[in-house]
Amino acid sequence: MSIISWFNKDQDSEIRDGIKIIYPRLWRYCLVLTGSAVQADDLVQAACLRALENASNFESGTHFDRWMFRLTQRLWINELRKQAVRTGGGLSTIEEADLRDHGLDQLSSAMVKEVLMSVMHLPEAQRAAIILVYVEGHSYRDAAMILDIPVGTIMSRLSVARSKLVQKFRSESEVG
């Protein structure tokens, strides 16, 4: 076995192991991007396949999750462009998805689902920023790198999204 084939097998193994670890997080990110469980399944599978095909592009010892989120973001943007050309549209409508966290009690799970569904009604750019920073725990800088935008843009998107969510939940509490 040549040193190059050994190196490639080692990289493939690292990618496969990394995918196993972050798959649930990556699927959740895909759900937020697409607004659809079916499209999230397709996107996460495409991202995993692309990662395996491009294993040689991953620098061992760097942040695998950032690499995967970035790769997924690019795939999604490409898909939106394809859809726009084919149909003249963009995002499909948001369908109800099973957003339960089976580790939570029923009330907590219902509250999490309500918050996530509210996030799903935000524009895609704000949804992506929220999931990367508040759910995945990436820093503003890391999220900006994943989305290929300035850090100030991340901060702005999060600020606007927080304001919208606060306003929504305040108006609901005043009605109820």
Side-chain angles (χ1 to χ4, degrees):
M1 180 186 315
S2 74
I3 192 93
I4 292 173
S5 62
W6 175 82
F7 180 71
N8 289 340
K9 283 185 181 181
D10 194 42
Q11 262 186 323
D12 286 346
S13 177
E14 186 175 358
I15 298 297
R16 289 179 193 280
D17 292 344
I19 288 172
K20 287 176 189 173
I21 293 168
I22 72 159
Y23 191 88
R25 295 172 49 208
L26 192 60
W27 185 87
R28 181 176 51 219
Y29 180 62
C30 291
L31 177 64
V32 168
L33 288 178
T34 65
S36 160
V38 172
Q39 285 183 313
D41 289 339
D42 292 344
L43 182 58
V44 76
Q45 288 174 15
C48 291
L49 180 61
R50 180 70 55 91
L52 291 169
E53 291 170 346
N54 295 309
S56 61
N57 294 337
F58 176 68
E59 293 181 35
S60 188
T62 61
H63 295 277
F64 179 74
D65 60 343
R66 292 182 200 164
W67 185 70
M68 282 298 298
F69 283 109
R70 174 71 181 233
L71 185 148
T72 303
Q73 176 72 18
R74 288 180 177 161
L75 281 173
W76 178 239
I77 289 170
N78 290 341
E79 180 59 29
L80 288 178
R81 288 178 183 146
K82 285 186 226 173
Q83 285 178 10
V85 169
R86 285 192 303 253
T87 64
L91 289 172
S92 59
T93 59
I94 296 173
E95 59 187 29
E96 288 291 322
D98 183 11
L99 299 174
R100 290 175 288 156
D101 184 334
H102 298 286
L104 298 175
D105 61 61
Q106 192 173 7
L107 179 61
S108 297
S109 183
M111 289 175 21
V112 166
K113 183 173 182 171
E114 183 180 355
V115 169
L116 283 175
M117 288 308 294
S118 296
V119 168
M120 297 297 281
H121 286 87
L122 294 171
E124 181 208 349
Q126 293 171 10
R127 291 194 316 253
I130 284 177
I131 196 80
L132 288 172
V133 174
Y134 295 133
V135 177
E136 292 301 324
H138 290 286
S139 68
Y140 289 177
R141 184 178 59 88
D142 291 343
M145 184 187 75
I146 289 167
L147 297 174
D148 196 25
I149 58 176
V151 174
T153 303
I154 284 287
M155 295 168 65
S156 174
R157 288 178 183 177
L158 290 171
S159 176
V160 170
R162 279 191 309 263
S163 295
K164 287 180 182 179
L165 291 172
V166 165
Q167 183 179 16
K168 179 190 183 314
F169 285 107
R170 272 195 190 136
S171 65
E172 284 181 6
S173 68
E174 290 171 1
V175 172

